[in-house]
Amino acid sequence: PTGVRQSGLCAVAARRAPQWPEKFYGSTLCAHGVGIMAWASGTGCLFLSNGRRRGMNVVLLAEVTIEQVIGGAERVLRQQALGLAKLGHNVRVLARAPFESAEASLVIGNVSEQRYPVMRTSEPAFVWSSVQNSLRAFDRMMQASPVDIAMIHQSLAGLGPILFRYGMVSRWVYVCHSFAHEEYLTRAERAATTLERVRRRLSVRARRWIERMVIRRCHHVIVLSTFMKQQVMATHGIIPKSITVVPGAADPTTFYP
């Protein structure tokens, strides 16, 4: 059908998507209607000495996994990873282990996912272990091959790498699904005591601060709607030209008449 767009980057497709500005036309991604990574990096495809192009080395940093689609965050991550791999890019996912006994790594299609454990005894321990262990796992990935573009899907997953390995990656891109502090408020139990209310308030501020620090260090931000673009501008002070709206779309291999 005319209104359906094929899924690719950010579950978006390009077959009937609006045309991107000319400056986006620098890589094979653009032919599929998704030129933002090429534009953000300046080198969407890397040219070899023989004139042939090779794909980018892309790392996706997330707190969810591509193994099982539970909600929107997993769906966007999985579609993005598999879509970029299908275009010939070397895609790796660095994700927080979903539970203590989860496998340390897995492969789905041409995408490999490496996982790191975290401590869940308290919020400070959770944050500290996330930063430490994601950084160690990221260093192991860097030893295997350099990273052209790192795409952060959740701020805490990218905090360690973007703070301590910033200069080792060509470009950083933030994929903003929703705000971390707002997600926390929807899931946290209602505070019953003054101490709990103070903890809740501090936790909200910490999550907003972490997300702001991460998103402001990225070269570009991708959002799924104009509303979210406005929210990112208002909440984190990101200028409009640094944000691109890549709307969600239906996958015609799954949804068809």
Side-chain angles (χ1 to χ4, degrees):
T2 305
V4 173
R5 287 177 283 186
Q6 185 182 9
S7 177
L9 177 62
C10 292
V12 154
R15 219 175 268 173
R16 292 176 177 83
Q19 292 296 311
W20 297 99
E22 280 188 358
K23 61 185 177 183
F24 281 31
Y25 286 83
S27 80
T28 53
L29 291 181
C30 304
H32 294 262
V34 191
I36 180 56
M37 288 182 63
W39 175 74
S41 69
T43 58
C45 287
L46 305 179
F47 287 86
L48 306 179
S49 56
N50 61 5
R52 296 181 62 187
R53 293 179 295 184
R54 75 165 175 85
M56 297 179 290
N57 292 318
V58 182
V59 171
L60 310 182
L61 301 110
E63 291 189 298
V64 296
T65 174
I66 62 171
E67 182 179 15
Q68 184 179 9
V69 174
I70 300 174
E74 293 90 351
R75 180 171 289 105
V76 170
L77 179 70
R78 182 183 172 100
Q79 292 284 7
Q80 186 178 83
L82 295 177
L84 287 170
K86 188 175 181 180
L87 293 176
H89 301 287
N90 176 33
V91 181
R92 293 168 290 173
V93 175
L94 180 59
R96 185 183 73 204
F99 48 88
E100 198 170 318
S101 59
E103 293 178 293
S105 62
L106 58 86
V107 177
I108 295 179
N110 293 323
V111 178
S112 64
E113 178 176 287
Q114 301 296 319
R115 295 165 169 176
Y116 56 89
V118 294
M119 294 179 62
R120 303 175 189 269
T121 53
S122 66
E123 285 197 27
F126 181 82
V127 172
W128 179 247
S129 61
S130 293
V131 172
Q132 272 194 321
N133 295 337
S134 64
L135 186 59
R136 289 170 182 162
F138 188 78
D139 284 342
R140 290 194 293 270
M141 280 190 168
M142 292 286 293
Q143 290 174 0
S145 63
V147 177
D148 298 315
I149 290 185
M151 303 192 72
I152 300 174
H153 280 247
Q154 284 83 33
S155 56
L156 187 55
L159 180 60
I162 202 169
L163 281 183
F164 300 106
R165 300 295 183 266
Y166 184 80
M168 299 178 70
V169 177
S170 299
R171 286 294 184 272
W172 296 84
V173 176
Y174 194 89
V175 182
C176 188
H177 304 254
S178 58
F179 292 138
H181 64 280
E182 292 182 349
E183 288 283 342
Y184 169 76
L185 286 172
T186 62
R187 297 175 184 177
E189 294 183 5
R190 189 176 181 85
T193 66
T194 301
L195 180 59
E196 288 175 352
R197 284 193 291 270
V198 170
R199 283 181 178 172
R200 183 184 174 98
R201 191 175 297 115
L202 289 175
S203 187
V204 167
R205 290 185 177 181
R207 282 169 166 78
R208 183 162 47 199
W209 179 78
I210 288 172
E211 187 171 66
R212 177 174 295 184
M213 181 166 53
V214 171
I215 201 170
R216 284 185 172 182
R217 289 178 70 86
C218 287
H219 296 91
H220 208 84
V221 180
I222 294 175
V223 294
L224 298 175
S225 68
T226 301
F227 171 78
M228 202 62 211
K229 177 178 180 177
Q230 294 169 346
Q231 292 292 94
V232 169
M233 291 165 57
T235 303
H236 296 308
I238 306 300
I239 60 175
K241 71 176 183 179
S242 294
I243 308 173
T244 296
V245 178
V246 183
D251 184 347
T253 62
T254 303
F255 301 99
Y256 52 89

